[in-house]
Coordinates of all heavy atoms in Angstrom, one line a residue:
M1 N 97.7 -175.2 40.3 CA 98.8 -174.3 40.7 C 100.2 -175.0 40.4 O 101.1 -174.4 40.0 CB 98.7 -173.9 42.1 CG 99.7 -173.0 42.6 SD 99.5 -171.4 41.8 CE 100.7 -170.5 42.7
T2 N 100.2 -176.3 40.6 CA 101.5 -177.0 40.4 C 101.8 -177.1 38.9 O 103.0 -177.1 38.5 CB 101.5 -178.5 41.0 OG1 100.4 -179.2 40.4 CG2 101.4 -178.4 42.5
K3 N 100.8 -177.1 38.1 CA 101.0 -177.1 36.6 C 101.7 -175.8 36.2 O 102.6 -175.7 35.4 CB 99.8 -177.3 35.8 CG 99.3 -178.8 35.8 CD 98.1 -178.9 34.9 CE 97.6 -180.4 34.9 NZ 96.5 -180.5 34.0
F4 N 101.2 -174.7 36.8 CA 101.7 -173.4 36.5 C 103.1 -173.3 36.9 O 104.0 -172.8 36.1 CB 100.8 -172.3 37.2 CG 101.4 -170.9 37.0 CD1 101.3 -170.2 35.8 CD2 102.1 -170.3 38.1 CE1 101.8 -169.0 35.7 CE2 102.7 -169.1 37.9 CZ 102.6 -168.4 36.7
I5 N 103.5 -173.8 38.1 CA 104.9 -173.7 38.6 C 105.8 -174.6 37.7 O 106.9 -174.1 37.3 CB 104.9 -174.2 40.0 CG1 104.2 -173.1 40.9 CG2 106.4 -174.4 40.5 CD1 104.1 -173.5 42.4
T6 N 105.3 -175.7 37.3 CA 106.1 -176.6 36.4 C 106.4 -175.9 35.1 O 107.5 -175.9 34.6 CB 105.4 -177.9 36.2 OG1 105.1 -178.5 37.5 CG2 106.2 -178.9 35.4
V7 N 105.3 -175.4 34.5 CA 105.4 -174.7 33.2 C 106.4 -173.5 33.3 O 107.2 -173.2 32.5 CB 104.0 -174.3 32.7 CG1 104.2 -173.3 31.5 CG2 103.2 -175.5 32.3
F8 N 106.2 -172.7 34.4 CA 107.1 -171.6 34.6 C 108.6 -172.0 34.7 O 109.5 -171.4 34.1 CB 106.7 -170.9 35.9 CG 107.5 -169.7 36.3 CD1 107.4 -168.5 35.6 CD2 108.5 -169.8 37.2 CE1 108.2 -167.4 35.8 CE2 109.3 -168.7 37.5 CZ 109.2 -167.5 36.8
I9 N 108.9 -173.1 35.4 CA 110.2 -173.6 35.6 C 110.8 -174.0 34.2 O 111.9 -173.7 33.9 CB 110.3 -174.7 36.6 CG1 110.0 -174.1 38.0 CG2 111.6 -175.4 36.6 CD1 109.9 -175.2 39.1
V10 N 110.0 -174.7 33.5 CA 110.5 -175.2 32.2 C 110.8 -174.0 31.2 O 111.8 -173.9 30.6 CB 109.4 -176.1 31.5 CG1 109.7 -176.4 30.1 CG2 109.3 -177.4 32.3
F11 N 109.8 -173.0 31.2 CA 110.1 -171.9 30.3 C 111.3 -171.0 30.8 O 112.0 -170.5 30.0 CB 108.8 -171.0 30.2 CG 107.9 -171.5 29.2 CD1 106.6 -172.0 29.6 CD2 108.2 -171.5 27.9 CE1 105.7 -172.5 28.7 CE2 107.3 -171.9 26.9 CZ 106.1 -172.5 27.3
S12 N 111.5 -170.9 32.1 CA 112.6 -170.2 32.7 C 113.9 -170.9 32.2 O 114.9 -170.2 31.8 CB 112.5 -170.2 34.2 OG 111.4 -169.4 34.6
F13 N 113.9 -172.2 32.3 CA 115.1 -172.9 31.9 C 115.4 -172.8 30.4 O 116.5 -172.5 30.0 CB 115.0 -174.4 32.2 CG 116.1 -175.3 31.8 CD1 117.3 -175.3 32.4 CD2 116.0 -176.1 30.6 CE1 118.4 -176.0 32.0 CE2 117.0 -176.8 30.2 CZ 118.2 -176.8 30.9
L14 N 114.4 -172.9 29.6 CA 114.5 -172.7 28.1 C 115.0 -171.3 27.8 O 115.9 -171.1 26.9 CB 113.2 -173.0 27.4 CG 112.8 -174.5 27.4 CD1 111.4 -174.7 26.8 CD2 113.8 -175.4 26.7
F15 N 114.4 -170.3 28.5 CA 114.8 -168.9 28.2 C 116.3 -168.7 28.6 O 117.1 -168.1 27.8 CB 113.9 -168.0 29.0 CG 114.3 -166.5 28.8 CD1 113.7 -165.9 27.8 CD2 115.1 -165.9 29.7 CE1 114.0 -164.5 27.6 CE2 115.4 -164.5 29.5 CZ 114.8 -163.9 28.5
A16 N 116.7 -169.2 29.7 CA 118.1 -169.1 30.2 C 119.1 -169.8 29.3 O 120.1 -169.2 28.9 CB 118.2 -169.6 31.6
T17 N 118.8 -171.0 28.8 CA 119.7 -171.7 27.9 C 119.7 -171.1 26.5 O 120.8 -171.0 25.9 CB 119.4 -173.2 27.8 OG1 118.0 -173.3 27.4 CG2 119.6 -173.9 29.2
H18 N 118.6 -170.5 26.1 CA 118.6 -169.9 24.7 C 119.4 -168.7 24.7 O 120.1 -168.4 23.7 CB 117.1 -169.7 24.3 CG 117.0 -169.0 23.0 ND1 117.2 -169.7 21.8 CD2 116.7 -167.7 22.6 CE1 117.1 -168.9 20.8 NE2 116.7 -167.7 21.3
F19 N 119.3 -167.9 25.7 CA 120.0 -166.6 25.7 C 121.4 -166.6 26.4 O 122.1 -165.6 26.5 CB 119.1 -165.5 26.3 CG 118.0 -165.2 25.4 CD1 116.7 -165.7 25.7 CD2 118.1 -164.4 24.3 CE1 115.6 -165.4 24.9 CE2 117.1 -164.1 23.5 CZ 115.8 -164.6 23.8
S20 N 121.8 -167.8 26.8 CA 123.1 -167.9 27.4 C 124.2 -167.8 26.3 O 124.0 -168.4 25.3 CB 123.3 -169.2 28.1 OG 124.6 -169.4 28.5
N21 N 125.2 -167.1 26.5 CA 126.3 -166.9 25.5 C 127.6 -167.7 25.9 O 128.6 -167.5 25.2 CB 126.6 -165.4 25.4 CG 126.8 -165.0 24.0 OD1 126.4 -165.7 23.1 ND2 127.3 -163.8 23.8
E22 N 127.5 -168.5 26.9 CA 128.7 -169.1 27.4 C 129.3 -170.0 26.3 O 128.6 -170.8 25.7 CB 128.4 -170.0 28.6 CG 129.6 -170.5 29.3 CD 129.3 -171.2 30.6 OE1 128.2 -170.9 31.2 OE2 130.0 -172.1 31.0
G23 N 130.6 -169.9 26.1 CA 131.3 -170.8 25.2 C 131.1 -170.4 23.7 O 131.6 -171.1 22.9
R24 N 130.5 -169.2 23.5 CA 130.3 -168.8 22.1 C 130.9 -167.4 22.0 O 131.3 -166.8 23.0 CB 128.8 -168.7 21.8 CG 128.2 -170.0 21.7 CD 126.8 -169.9 21.3 NE 126.0 -169.6 22.4 CZ 124.8 -169.0 22.4 NH1 124.2 -168.8 21.3 NH2 124.1 -168.7 23.5
E25 N 131.0 -166.9 20.8 CA 131.6 -165.6 20.5 C 130.8 -164.5 21.3 O 129.6 -164.6 21.4 CB 131.6 -165.3 19.0 CG 132.6 -166.1 18.3 CD 132.6 -165.8 16.8 OE1 132.5 -164.7 16.4 OE2 132.8 -166.8 16.1
G26 N 131.6 -163.7 22.0 CA 131.0 -162.7 22.8 C 130.7 -163.1 24.2 O 130.2 -162.4 25.0
S27 N 131.2 -164.3 24.5 CA 130.9 -164.8 25.9 C 132.0 -164.3 26.9 O 131.8 -164.5 28.1 CB 130.9 -166.4 25.9 OG 132.2 -166.9 25.5
V28 N 133.1 -163.8 26.4 CA 134.1 -163.3 27.3 C 134.2 -161.8 27.1 O 134.2 -161.2 26.0 CB 135.5 -163.9 26.9 CG1 136.6 -163.4 27.7 CG2 135.4 -165.4 27.1
K29 N 134.3 -161.1 28.2 CA 134.6 -159.6 28.2 C 136.1 -159.4 28.0 O 136.9 -160.2 28.5 CB 134.1 -158.9 29.4 CG 132.6 -159.0 29.5 CD 132.1 -158.4 30.8 CE 130.6 -158.5 30.8 NZ 130.0 -158.7 32.1
I30 N 136.5 -158.3 27.4 CA 137.9 -158.1 27.1 C 138.7 -158.1 28.4 O 139.8 -158.7 28.4 CB 138.1 -156.7 26.4 CG1 137.6 -156.8 25.0 CG2 139.6 -156.3 26.4 CD1 137.7 -155.5 24.2
G31 N 138.2 -157.7 29.5 CA 138.9 -157.7 30.8 C 139.1 -159.1 31.3 O 139.9 -159.3 32.2
D32 N 138.3 -160.1 30.8 CA 138.4 -161.5 31.3 C 139.3 -162.3 30.4 O 139.5 -163.5 30.7 CB 137.0 -162.1 31.4 CG 136.1 -161.4 32.4 OD1 136.6 -160.8 33.3 OD2 134.9 -161.4 32.2
C33 N 139.8 -161.7 29.3 CA 140.7 -162.5 28.4 C 141.9 -163.1 29.1 O 142.2 -164.2 28.9 CB 141.1 -161.6 27.2 SG 139.7 -161.4 26.0
P34 N 142.7 -162.3 29.9 CA 143.9 -162.9 30.5 C 143.6 -164.1 31.3 O 144.3 -165.1 31.2 CB 144.4 -161.7 31.4 CG 144.0 -160.5 30.7 CD 142.6 -160.9 30.2
A35 N 142.5 -164.1 32.1 CA 142.2 -165.3 32.9 C 141.8 -166.5 32.1 O 142.2 -167.6 32.3 CB 141.1 -165.0 33.9
A36 N 141.0 -166.2 31.0 CA 140.5 -167.3 30.1 C 141.7 -167.9 29.4 O 141.8 -169.1 29.2 CB 139.5 -166.8 29.1
C37 N 142.7 -167.0 29.0 CA 143.9 -167.5 28.3 C 144.8 -168.2 29.2 O 145.5 -169.1 28.8 CB 144.5 -166.4 27.6 SG 143.6 -165.8 26.1
D38 N 144.9 -167.8 30.5 CA 145.7 -168.6 31.5 C 145.2 -170.0 31.5 O 146.1 -170.9 31.5 CB 145.6 -168.0 32.8 CG 146.5 -166.8 33.0 OD1 147.5 -166.6 32.2 OD2 146.3 -166.0 34.0
V39 N 143.9 -170.3 31.5 CA 143.4 -171.6 31.5 C 143.7 -172.3 30.2 O 144.2 -173.4 30.2 CB 141.9 -171.6 31.8 CG1 141.3 -173.0 31.6 CG2 141.6 -171.1 33.1
R40 N 143.5 -171.6 29.1 CA 143.7 -172.2 27.7 C 145.2 -172.6 27.5 O 145.5 -173.6 26.9 CB 143.3 -171.2 26.7 CG 143.4 -171.7 25.2 CD 142.4 -172.7 24.9 NE 142.5 -173.2 23.5 CZ 141.8 -174.2 23.0 NH1 140.9 -174.8 23.8 NH2 141.9 -174.5 21.8
C41 N 146.1 -171.8 28.1 CA 147.5 -172.0 27.8 C 148.2 -172.8 29.0 O 149.5 -172.9 29.0 CB 148.2 -170.7 27.6 SG 147.6 -169.9 26.1
S42 N 147.5 -173.3 29.9 CA 148.1 -173.8 31.1 C 148.9 -175.1 30.9 O 149.8 -175.4 31.7 CB 147.0 -174.1 32.2 OG 146.1 -175.1 31.7
A43 N 148.6 -175.8 29.8 CA 149.3 -177.1 29.6 C 150.4 -177.1 28.5 O 151.0 -178.1 28.2 CB 148.3 -178.2 29.2
T44 N 150.7 -175.9 28.0 CA 151.6 -175.8 26.9 C 153.0 -175.5 27.4 O 153.2 -174.9 28.5 CB 151.3 -174.7 25.9 OG1 152.2 -174.8 24.8 CG2 151.3 -173.4 26.5
S45 N 154.0 -176.0 26.7 CA 155.4 -175.7 27.0 C 155.8 -174.3 26.4 O 156.9 -173.8 26.7 CB 156.3 -176.8 26.5 OG 156.3 -176.9 25.1
H46 N 155.0 -173.8 25.5 CA 155.3 -172.5 24.9 C 154.3 -171.4 25.5 O 153.6 -170.8 24.7 CB 155.1 -172.6 23.4 CG 155.9 -173.6 22.8 ND1 157.3 -173.5 22.6 CD2 155.6 -174.9 22.3 CE1 157.8 -174.6 22.1 NE2 156.8 -175.5 21.9
K47 N 154.3 -171.3 26.8 CA 153.3 -170.4 27.5 C 153.3 -169.0 27.0 O 152.3 -168.4 26.8 CB 153.5 -170.5 29.0 CG 152.4 -170.0 29.7 CD 152.4 -170.5 31.2 CE 151.1 -170.0 31.8 NZ 150.3 -171.1 32.3
S48 N 154.5 -168.4 26.8 CA 154.5 -167.0 26.5 C 153.9 -166.7 25.1 O 153.0 -165.8 25.0 CB 156.0 -166.5 26.4 OG 156.1 -165.2 26.0
A49 N 154.2 -167.5 24.1 CA 153.6 -167.3 22.8 C 152.1 -167.7 22.8 O 151.3 -166.9 22.2 CB 154.3 -168.2 21.8
C50 N 151.8 -168.7 23.5 CA 150.4 -169.1 23.6 C 149.5 -168.0 24.2 O 148.5 -167.6 23.7 CB 150.2 -170.4 24.5 SG 148.5 -171.0 24.6
L51 N 150.0 -167.4 25.3 CA 149.3 -166.3 26.0 C 149.2 -165.1 25.1 O 148.1 -164.4 25.0 CB 150.0 -165.9 27.3 CG 149.8 -166.9 28.4 CD1 150.7 -166.6 29.6 CD2 148.3 -167.0 28.9
M52 N 150.3 -164.8 24.4 CA 150.2 -163.6 23.5 C 149.2 -163.8 22.4 O 148.3 -162.9 22.2 CB 151.6 -163.4 22.8 CG 151.6 -162.2 21.9 SD 153.2 -161.9 21.1 CE 153.2 -163.3 19.9
Y53 N 149.2 -164.9 21.7 CA 148.2 -165.1 20.6 C 146.8 -165.4 21.1 O 145.8 -164.9 20.6 CB 148.7 -166.3 19.7 CG 149.8 -165.9 18.9 CD1 151.1 -166.5 19.0 CD2 149.7 -164.9 17.9 CE1 152.2 -166.2 18.3 CE2 150.8 -164.5 17.1 CZ 152.0 -165.2 17.3 OH 153.1 -164.8 16.6
C54 N 146.7 -166.1 22.2 CA 145.4 -166.3 22.8 C 144.7 -165.0 23.2 O 143.5 -164.7 22.9 CB 145.5 -167.2 24.0 SG 143.9 -167.6 24.8
N55 N 145.4 -164.1 23.9 CA 144.9 -162.8 24.3 C 144.5 -161.9 23.0 O 143.5 -161.3 23.0 CB 145.8 -162.0 25.2 CG 145.7 -162.5 26.6 OD1 144.7 -162.2 27.3 ND2 146.7 -163.2 27.1
Q56 N 145.3 -162.0 22.0 CA 145.1 -161.3 20.8 C 143.8 -161.8 20.2 O 142.9 -161.0 19.8 CB 146.2 -161.5 19.8 CG 146.2 -160.6 18.6 CD 147.4 -160.8 17.7 OE1 148.1 -161.8 17.8 NE2 147.7 -159.8 16.9
C57 N 143.6 -163.1 20.1 CA 142.4 -163.7 19.5 C 141.2 -163.4 20.4 O 140.1 -163.2 19.9 CB 142.6 -165.2 19.4 SG 143.9 -165.6 18.2
C58 N 141.4 -163.5 21.7 CA 140.3 -163.3 22.6 C 139.7 -161.8 22.5 O 138.5 -161.6 22.5 CB 140.7 -163.5 24.1 SG 139.4 -163.3 25.3
K59 N 140.6 -160.9 22.4 CA 140.2 -159.5 22.2 C 139.5 -159.2 20.9 O 138.6 -158.4 20.9 CB 141.4 -158.6 22.4 CG 141.9 -158.5 23.8 CD 143.2 -157.7 24.0 CE 143.6 -157.7 25.4 NZ 144.9 -157.2 25.6
K60 N 139.8 -160.0 19.9 CA 139.1 -159.8 18.6 C 137.8 -160.6 18.6 O 136.8 -160.0 18.2 CB 140.0 -160.4 17.5 CG 139.3 -160.3 16.1 CD 140.1 -160.8 15.0 CE 139.3 -160.8 13.7 NZ 140.0 -161.4 12.6
C61 N 137.8 -161.8 19.1 CA 136.7 -162.7 19.0 C 135.7 -162.7 20.2 O 134.6 -163.1 20.2 CB 137.1 -164.1 18.8 SG 138.1 -164.3 17.3
L62 N 136.3 -162.2 21.4 CA 135.5 -162.2 22.6 C 135.1 -163.6 23.0 O 134.0 -163.8 23.5 CB 134.3 -161.2 22.6 CG 134.7 -159.8 22.4 CD1 133.4 -158.9 22.3 CD2 135.6 -159.3 23.5
C63 N 136.0 -164.6 22.8 CA 135.7 -166.0 23.0 C 137.0 -166.7 23.2 O 138.0 -166.4 22.4 CB 134.9 -166.6 21.9 SG 134.4 -168.3 22.2
V64 N 137.1 -167.7 24.1 CA 138.2 -168.6 24.2 C 137.6 -170.0 24.4 O 136.8 -170.2 25.3 CB 139.1 -168.2 25.4 CG1 140.2 -169.3 25.6 CG2 139.7 -166.9 25.3
P65 N 138.0 -170.9 23.5 CA 137.4 -172.3 23.7 C 137.7 -172.9 25.0 O 138.8 -172.6 25.6 CB 138.1 -173.1 22.6 CG 138.6 -172.1 21.6 CD 138.9 -170.8 22.4
S66 N 136.9 -173.8 25.5 CA 137.1 -174.4 26.8 C 138.2 -175.4 26.7 O 138.6 -175.9 25.6 CB 135.8 -175.1 27.2 OG 135.5 -176.1 26.3
G67 N 138.9 -175.7 27.8 CA 139.9 -176.6 27.9 C 141.3 -176.1 27.4 O 141.4 -174.9 27.1
T68 N 142.3 -177.0 27.4 CA 143.6 -176.5 27.0 C 143.9 -176.8 25.6 O 145.0 -176.4 25.1 CB 144.6 -177.2 27.9 OG1 144.5 -178.7 27.8 CG2 144.5 -176.9 29.4
Y69 N 143.1 -177.6 24.9 CA 143.4 -178.0 23.5 C 142.0 -178.3 22.8 O 141.1 -178.9 23.4 CB 144.3 -179.2 23.5 CG 144.7 -179.6 22.1 CD1 145.7 -178.9 21.4 CD2 144.1 -180.7 21.4 CE1 146.1 -179.3 20.1 CE2 144.5 -181.0 20.2 CZ 145.4 -180.4 19.5 OH 145.8 -180.7 18.2
G70 N 142.0 -178.0 21.5 CA 140.8 -178.4 20.8 C 139.6 -177.5 21.1 O 139.7 -176.4 21.6
N71 N 138.4 -178.0 20.9 CA 137.1 -177.3 21.2 C 137.0 -176.0 20.4 O 136.2 -175.2 20.8 CB 136.9 -177.1 22.7 CG 137.0 -178.4 23.5 OD1 136.5 -179.4 23.0 ND2 137.7 -178.4 24.6
K72 N 137.7 -175.8 19.4 CA 137.7 -174.5 18.6 C 136.3 -174.3 17.9 O 136.0 -173.2 17.6 CB 138.8 -174.4 17.6 CG 140.2 -174.2 18.3 CD 141.2 -174.0 17.3 CE 142.6 -173.8 17.9 NZ 143.6 -173.5 16.8
E73 N 135.6 -175.4 17.8 CA 134.2 -175.2 17.1 C 133.3 -174.3 18.0 O 132.3 -173.8 17.5 CB 133.6 -176.6 16.8 CG 133.2 -177.4 18.1 CD 134.4 -178.1 18.7 OE1 135.5 -178.2 18.2 OE2 134.1 -178.7 19.8
E74 N 133.7 -174.2 19.3 CA 132.9 -173.3 20.2 C 133.0 -171.8 19.8 O 132.1 -171.0 20.1 CB 133.4 -173.5 21.6 CG 133.1 -174.8 22.2 CD 133.8 -175.0 23.6 OE1 134.4 -174.0 24.1 OE2 133.6 -176.1 24.1
C75 N 134.1 -171.5 19.1 CA 134.4 -170.1 18.8 C 134.8 -170.0 17.3 O 136.0 -170.0 17.0 CB 135.5 -169.5 19.6 SG 135.3 -169.7 21.4
P76 N 133.8 -169.9 16.4 CA 134.2 -169.8 14.9 C 135.2 -168.7 14.6 O 136.1 -169.0 13.8 CB 132.8 -169.6 14.3 CG 131.8 -170.1 15.2 CD 132.4 -169.8 16.6
C77 N 135.1 -167.6 15.1 CA 136.1 -166.5 14.8 C 137.5 -166.9 15.3 O 138.4 -166.8 14.5 CB 135.7 -165.2 15.6 SG 136.9 -163.9 15.6
Y78 N 137.6 -167.5 16.5 CA 138.8 -168.0 17.0 C 139.4 -169.1 16.1 O 140.5 -169.2 15.8 CB 138.5 -168.5 18.4 CG 139.7 -168.7 19.3 CD1 140.1 -167.8 20.2 CD2 140.4 -169.9 19.3 CE1 141.2 -168.0 21.1 CE2 141.5 -170.2 20.1 CZ 141.9 -169.2 21.0 OH 142.9 -169.4 21.9
N79 N 138.5 -169.9 15.7 CA 138.9 -171.1 14.8 C 139.3 -170.7 13.4 O 140.2 -171.3 12.9 CB 137.7 -172.1 14.8 CG 138.1 -173.4 14.1 OD1 139.1 -173.9 14.3 ND2 137.2 -173.9 13.3
N80 N 138.6 -169.7 12.9 CA 138.8 -169.4 11.5 C 139.9 -168.3 11.2 O 140.2 -168.0 10.1 CB 137.5 -168.9 10.8 CG 136.5 -170.0 10.8 OD1 136.8 -171.2 10.8 ND2 135.2 -169.6 10.9
W81 N 140.4 -167.7 12.2 CA 141.5 -166.6 12.1 C 142.8 -167.4 11.7 O 143.3 -168.1 12.5 CB 141.6 -165.8 13.3 CG 142.3 -164.5 13.1 CD1 142.6 -163.9 11.9 CD2 142.7 -163.6 14.1 NE1 143.2 -162.7 12.1 CE2 143.3 -162.5 13.4 CE3 142.7 -163.6 15.5 CZ2 143.9 -161.4 14.1 CZ3 143.3 -162.5 16.1 CH2 143.8 -161.5 15.5
K82 N 143.3 -167.1 10.6 CA 144.5 -167.8 10.1 C 145.7 -166.8 9.9 O 145.5 -165.6 9.7 CB 144.3 -168.5 8.8 CG 143.1 -169.4 8.7 CD 143.3 -170.6 9.5 CE 142.0 -171.5 9.4 NZ 141.9 -172.5 10.4
T83 N 146.9 -167.4 9.9 CA 148.1 -166.6 9.6 C 148.2 -166.4 8.1 O 147.4 -167.0 7.3 CB 149.4 -167.3 10.1 OG1 149.5 -168.5 9.3 CG2 149.3 -167.6 11.6
Q84 N 149.2 -165.6 7.7 CA 149.4 -165.4 6.2 C 149.7 -166.7 5.5 O 149.4 -166.9 4.3 CB 150.5 -164.4 6.0 CG 150.2 -163.0 6.4 CD 151.3 -162.1 6.2 OE1 152.5 -162.5 6.0 NE2 151.0 -160.8 6.2
E85 N 150.2 -167.7 6.2 CA 150.6 -169.0 5.6 C 149.4 -170.0 5.7 O 149.5 -171.1 5.2 CB 151.7 -169.7 6.4 CG 153.0 -168.9 6.3 CD 153.2 -167.7 7.2 OE1 152.5 -167.8 8.3 OE2 153.9 -166.8 6.9
G86 N 148.2 -169.5 6.2 CA 147.0 -170.3 6.3 C 147.0 -171.3 7.5 O 146.1 -172.1 7.6
R87 N 147.9 -171.1 8.4 CA 147.8 -171.9 9.7 C 147.0 -171.2 10.7 O 146.8 -170.0 10.7 CB 149.3 -172.1 10.2 CG 150.1 -172.8 9.1 CD 151.5 -173.1 9.6 NE 151.4 -174.2 10.6 CZ 152.4 -174.5 11.3 NH1 153.6 -173.9 11.3 NH2 152.3 -175.5 12.2
P88 N 146.5 -172.0 11.7 CA 145.6 -171.4 12.7 C 146.4 -170.3 13.5 O 147.6 -170.6 13.9 CB 145.3 -172.5 13.6 CG 145.5 -173.8 12.8 CD 146.6 -173.4 11.8
K89 N 145.8 -169.1 13.7 CA 146.5 -168.1 14.5 C 146.3 -168.3 16.0 O 147.1 -167.9 16.8 CB 146.0 -166.7 14.0 CG 146.7 -165.6 14.7 CD 146.4 -164.3 14.0 CE 147.3 -163.2 14.4 NZ 148.3 -162.9 13.5
C90 N 145.1 -168.8 16.3 CA 144.7 -168.9 17.7 C 145.0 -170.3 18.3 O 144.7 -171.3 17.7 CB 143.3 -168.5 17.9 SG 142.8 -166.9 17.1
P91 N 145.6 -170.3 19.5 CA 146.0 -171.6 20.1 C 144.8 -172.3 20.7 O 143.8 -171.8 21.0 CB 146.9 -171.2 21.2 CG 146.6 -169.8 21.6 CD 146.1 -169.2 20.3

C-alpha cells in the first residue's frame, strides 16, 4: 500500500509540473495584467511608460516575465516583440 501511495504522489507531482503554465505564455489572464505589470515595473524610474508597454505586451502575449528586469526567456512572445527600429518593445 505504501508503494502505491508513493507512486501516486510522484505521478501527481509530475502531472502538476508538466501541465503548469506558470511563467510561460498564457500563464496570465488579461484581467491579471495590471497586477503583473505593477510588479514588473516597480523598480523603474519611467513607471508610466513601463506600465503602458508592459500591459500592451501582456495583453498580446498573456505572459509577464518574473522580477523587475531580465528573465524574458520565460516569455518568448514578450521577448521577441520588437519596435520598428528593432529594439525590444516589452520592458
Side-chain angles (χ1 to χ4, degrees):
M1 183 67 173
T2 58
K3 283 185 180 182
F4 174 76
I5 293 172
T6 304
V7 170
F8 179 76
I9 291 171
V10 169
F11 278 112
S12 297
F13 176 77
L14 291 173
F15 181 83
T17 56
H18 179 72
F19 291 102
S20 171
N21 221 14
E22 188 174 336
R24 291 184 281 163
E25 288 178 40
S27 65
V28 177
K29 294 181 178 140
I30 289 178
D32 297 333
C33 286
C37 288
D38 279 342
V39 172
R40 182 71 177 173
C41 297
S42 64
T44 184
S45 59
H46 305 287
K47 193 162 186 116
S48 178
C50 182
L51 287 171
M52 180 181 72
Y53 288 114
C54 180
N55 277 291
Q56 190 177 22
C57 294
C58 180
K59 287 176 183 169
K60 177 182 178 186
C61 300
L62 299 177
C63 183
V64 175
S66 61
T68 58
Y69 184 79
N71 304 317
K72 289 186 179 182
E73 67 279 355
E74 296 174 357
C75 305
C77 168
Y78 195 97
N79 187 40
N80 297 331
W81 198 12
K82 307 291 184 198
T83 64
Q84 290 178 344
E85 295 81 27
R87 300 181 74 188
K89 186 167 190 105
C90 305

